[in-house]
Amino acid sequence: MPGVSKPADISTRRQRIAELAKQMPGKALHSLSRHIDMEWMREAFRRTRKDGAAGTDGVTGKDYAANLEENLRALLDRAHNGLYRAPPVRRVRIPKGDGKTRPLGIPTFEDKVLQRAVAMILEPLYETEFYDFSYGFRPGRSAHDALKTIWNGTQEMGGGWVLDVDIASFFDTIDHAKLRDLLRQRVTDGVIVRLIGKWLNAGVLEGGVVTRTEMGTPQGGVISPLLANIYLHEVLDRWWVEEVQPRLRGKAFLVRYADDFVIVFAREDDARRVQAVLPKRFAKYGLTLHPEKTRLVPFCRPAAKRGQADPTSPPGSFDFLGLTHYWAMSRKGRWTPRQKTAKGRLTRAVRAVAEWCRANRHRSLAKQREALNQKLVGHYRYYGVTGNSESLKRFYQAVKRVWFKWLGRRSQRARLNWDKVNRLLDKYPLAPPKAYHSVLAPSAKP
């Protein structure tokens, strides 16, 4: 039917791309863009968020949908005949937990749709090559799959030595020339290569000035996470599997989520050798490891056997994907790895709720309670992992305190006491803490 996409047909075509990639390992494919037709573009539009912030042209998803067929047809024609011009992304800065900001690039809505269309082509191709220990921005995988892998791995090994790595300004320092070279190893389709080149060179609009560099792909772009995975697949993943692991004396495993990764080693000497060579490997591709945030952490189970770690020294901890990983005694009296909300993440979450309560304290109690419950449940859905109940309770109690603090400032004559607070909670209850993720449950990844 005209104007209606057919996801089932798109899925079949994507499966064909994956099968062709498997049949031609290491070879470049040159006829991919033929899949991008109006049906493909409608599906790309369907998969694109409509409520996101507008780019430099100010066009929203709703605006674009008002004349969808004509807009998609014009976009498809320009993409195929080479007339498409990638507009610069609009840069905004979002606060980080350390008081600094993170740059975020917002493409135009039309650019998001076209990037989604190209990502739908490249994803099945590269999914045949990516390794299982890569979890970020991949279909059927999540941060909680990565967290579960760390728990299982450290539990099985009894801990070890954790190389906690931080890549300095990764998205801003990806080398365009090297990325193009990596892409050409698997993709020589002129339309695809040309579009990616235009996005890399589009530049960033900030303060009325457009800046273009030979490095970086903006965080916030639809295709940026996939390009980042392609880059790190070569820089780290393939190198780890083909060159590093065969030379190790003990067990080790790598877990990567986009540009965040940790490597767990059973032996300290293995860990120190990799720690020494890792900066050189990344420098080869124009990347730098943060010298202060990259560290080697002793993470052996307490009272480990001699030769693995000093049984008199306390085990260390490390943060990964917003949670602190540490050892604790289970109810059965056994040492087990645990995960709790990282201190900085908890502080940041409470601060954000306090700011919201201050700005919205004059809304009705029912509306405030509804919004706060959405924030609470959203927090629980990410941080609600096995063993993190205390951190969830602290967040819940902190939300109650800041809510009633700002409610008490709505009127000088309506000061709240605990009796009034309890009556309010009976009428407008807040969502209690809940664990959504169990390390004992089967993994969701394929």
Side-chain angles (χ1 to χ4, degrees), residues 404-422:
F404 296 131
K405 168 188 172 181
W406 287 107
L407 285 180
R409 296 188 181 185
R410 298 209 300 184
S411 170
Q412 295 295 326
R413 295 176 299 176
R415 291 293 182 183
L416 289 175
N417 55 41
W418 281 111
D419 287 337
K420 292 182 180 180
V421 166
N422 290 328

Side-chain angles (χ1 to χ4, degrees), residues 216-228:
T217 176
Q219 284 182 274
V222 172
I223 204 167
S224 293
L226 178 55
L227 296 180

Side-chain angles (χ1 to χ4, degrees), residues 74 76 115 150 164 188 213 249 253 281 288 290 298 300 370 431:
L76 178 63
Q115 287 189 28
I150 290 178
D164 182 11
T188 54
T213 70
R249 299 175 64 186
F253 67 91
R281 173 65 182 182
T288 304
H290 198 293
C300 291
E370 180 183 1

Side-chain angles (χ1 to χ4, degrees), residues 38-179:
M38 278 297 291
E39 189 176 332
W40 195 276
M41 294 299 291
R42 293 185 193 107
E43 179 63 12
F45 170 81
R46 189 186 70 83
R47 297 186 183 196
T48 303
R49 280 188 56 185
K50 315 301 187 294
D51 58 350
T56 54
D57 61 359
V59 176
T60 65
K62 183 178 180 180
D63 297 333
Y64 198 81
N67 196 14
L68 182 60
E69 286 296 301
E70 184 176 330
N71 287 334
L72 290 180
R73 173 62 67 185
L75 177 59
L76 178 63
D77 290 343
R78 281 180 284 136
H80 277 292
N81 61 29
L83 296 179
Y84 181 77
R85 289 193 173 188
V89 300
R90 180 170 66 87
R91 171 164 285 176
V92 298
R93 296 186 179 272
I94 56 176
K96 295 170 61 177
D98 55 6
K100 299 179 181 179
T101 60
R102 174 182 289 110
L104 188 68
I106 302 176
T108 64
F109 184 81
E110 183 173 69
D111 218 18
K112 293 177 184 177
V113 173
L114 189 54
Q115 287 189 28
R116 178 64 64 193
V118 172
M120 286 163 54
I121 287 282
L122 296 180
E123 189 177 79
L125 165 61
Y126 283 99
E127 278 297 311
T128 64
E129 299 187 0
F130 290 162
Y131 292 106
D132 285 343
F133 54 74
S134 167
Y135 292 91
F137 305 104
R138 294 182 58 190
R141 291 167 175 264
S142 70
H144 292 100
D145 291 324
L147 292 167
K148 190 178 299 183
T149 297
I150 290 178
W151 189 91
N152 288 331
T154 52
Q155 173 81 339
E156 180 182 345
M157 286 173 54
W161 294 82
V162 176
L163 187 54
D164 182 11
V165 184
D166 184 274
I167 308 174
S169 303
F170 170 69
F171 281 89
D172 293 332
T173 55
I174 293 178
D175 188 298
H176 290 180
K178 286 183 169 57
L179 177 57

